Amino acid sequence: MSKAVKPILDPCCGGKMFWFDKNNPNVMFCDKREEMHTLCDGRVFEVKPDMICDFTDLPFADKQFKLVDFDPPHLLEIGQNSWMAKKYGKLPENWAELIKDGFNECLRVLDEYGVLIFKWSETQIPVSKIINVIGRNPLFGHKSGRLNKTHWLCFMKMEEENKKL
C-alpha cells in the first residue's frame, strides 16, 4: 500500500471528460488502462492515468483521500470494441459484485468524514438497483444530461461506516 500525496482520487478516470482541469495537481487519476483512440468524428480520445490500477483493489492505505470521485463503467450491453466501450468501459457479467467491491474500496481509502461523489448513468441499469447493490443511501443527488439519466450521488463516510470498514 502506498501513501497518497494528493487529496483527491479518481479511481476510474477514463478520458477525464468531466474534469475542467484534466491535469489538476490535487487529483490522483487512476484507471485500469492506458490507451489512445481516434473516434468516429476524428477526435483523439486518450486514457492516460497517473497510475494504472484496479478500482476494486486500490494500492493505497486506508483513509488517504478527502474526496473520491467514483465514475465506474455503466454499460453492460455494448460491443467490446465500440467507441462507447472505449470511452466509458464495459461492465462484466458480475457487474453487481464489481460495483459493490469498487464502492467499498473507495470508502476504505476515503478519510473519516470524507466525501464520495458517485456518478452513474442509468441508461441500462437503474440507479435504484445500484443503491440496492451498494447497500447505502446517498445524502443527496442530482440528475443531469439530456434525458436526466446521469445521476450524481453524494455520500459522506460517517462514523458508522468507519466502524464497518
Side-chain angles (χ1 to χ4, degrees), residues 102-129:
F103 186 88
N104 287 338
E105 188 67 352
C106 287
L107 279 180
R108 180 188 67 77
V109 301
L110 190 61
D111 199 2
E112 292 183 25
Y113 303 103
V115 174
L116 188 154
I117 303 296
F118 187 7
K119 179 178 170 259
W120 186 259
S121 178
E122 64 176 359
T123 54
Q124 295 179 0
I125 301 168
V127 76
S128 59
K129 200 175 231 186

Side-chain angles (χ1 to χ4, degrees), residues 1-5 28 51 58-62 64-65 108-109:
M1 298 283 166
S2 66
K3 179 140 173 78
V5 295
M28 173 61 75
M51 179 184 291
L58 295 168
F60 305 109
D62 297 353
Q64 294 300 296
F65 297 95
R108 180 188 67 77
V109 301

Side-chain angles (χ1 to χ4, degrees), residues 2-65:
S2 66
K3 179 140 173 78
V5 295
K6 300 179 179 187
I8 303 167
L9 173 66
D10 185 342
C12 29
C13 68
K16 306 175 190 173
M17 290 179 287
F18 60 76
W19 286 94
F20 285 94
D21 180 357
K22 294 179 183 347
N23 298 304
N24 187 316
N26 294 308
V27 182
M28 173 61 75
F29 292 104
C30 299
D31 205 290
K32 71 176 189 174
R33 61 197 174 123
E34 184 171 339
E35 54 194 40
M36 186 168 34
H37 303 279
T38 301
L39 301 178
C40 57
D41 62 3
R43 288 179 297 146
V44 173
F45 177 75
E46 185 176 37
V47 177
K48 190 171 175 145
D50 298 324
M51 179 184 291
I52 297 198
C53 61
D54 178 349
F55 67 76
T56 65
D57 186 24
L58 295 168
F60 305 109
D62 297 353
K63 303 177 184 178
Q64 294 300 296
F65 297 95

Side-chain angles (χ1 to χ4, degrees), residues 93-104:
E93 290 296 319
N94 68 335
W95 67 267
E97 180 183 342
L98 179 90
I99 296 300
K100 182 178 176 106
D101 291 350
F103 186 88
N104 287 338

Side-chain angles (χ1 to χ4, degrees), residues 69-149:
D69 152 46
F70 186 43
D71 180 14
H74 60 272
L75 299 169
L76 184 60
E77 298 171 15
I78 190 165
Q80 190 67 40
N81 292 314
S82 69
W83 72 269
M84 290 283 284
K86 289 175 179 156
K87 276 182 86 171
Y88 302 111
K90 182 179 190 288
L91 288 170
E93 290 296 319
N94 68 335
W95 67 267
E97 180 183 342
L98 179 90
I99 296 300
K100 182 178 176 106
D101 291 350
F103 186 88
N104 287 338
E105 188 67 352
C106 287
L107 279 180
R108 180 188 67 77
V109 301
L110 190 61
D111 199 2
E112 292 183 25
Y113 303 103
V115 174
L116 188 154
I117 303 296
F118 187 7
K119 179 178 170 259
W120 186 259
S121 178
E122 64 176 359
T123 54
Q124 295 179 0
I125 301 168
V127 76
S128 59
K129 200 175 231 186
I130 294 303
I131 289 171
N132 188 49
V133 163
I134 62 175
R136 291 174 174 85
N137 285 319
L139 294 170
F140 56 88
H142 177 73
K143 293 180 187 180
S144 67
R146 187 170 46 92
L147 301 173
N148 274 337
K149 297 264 186 194

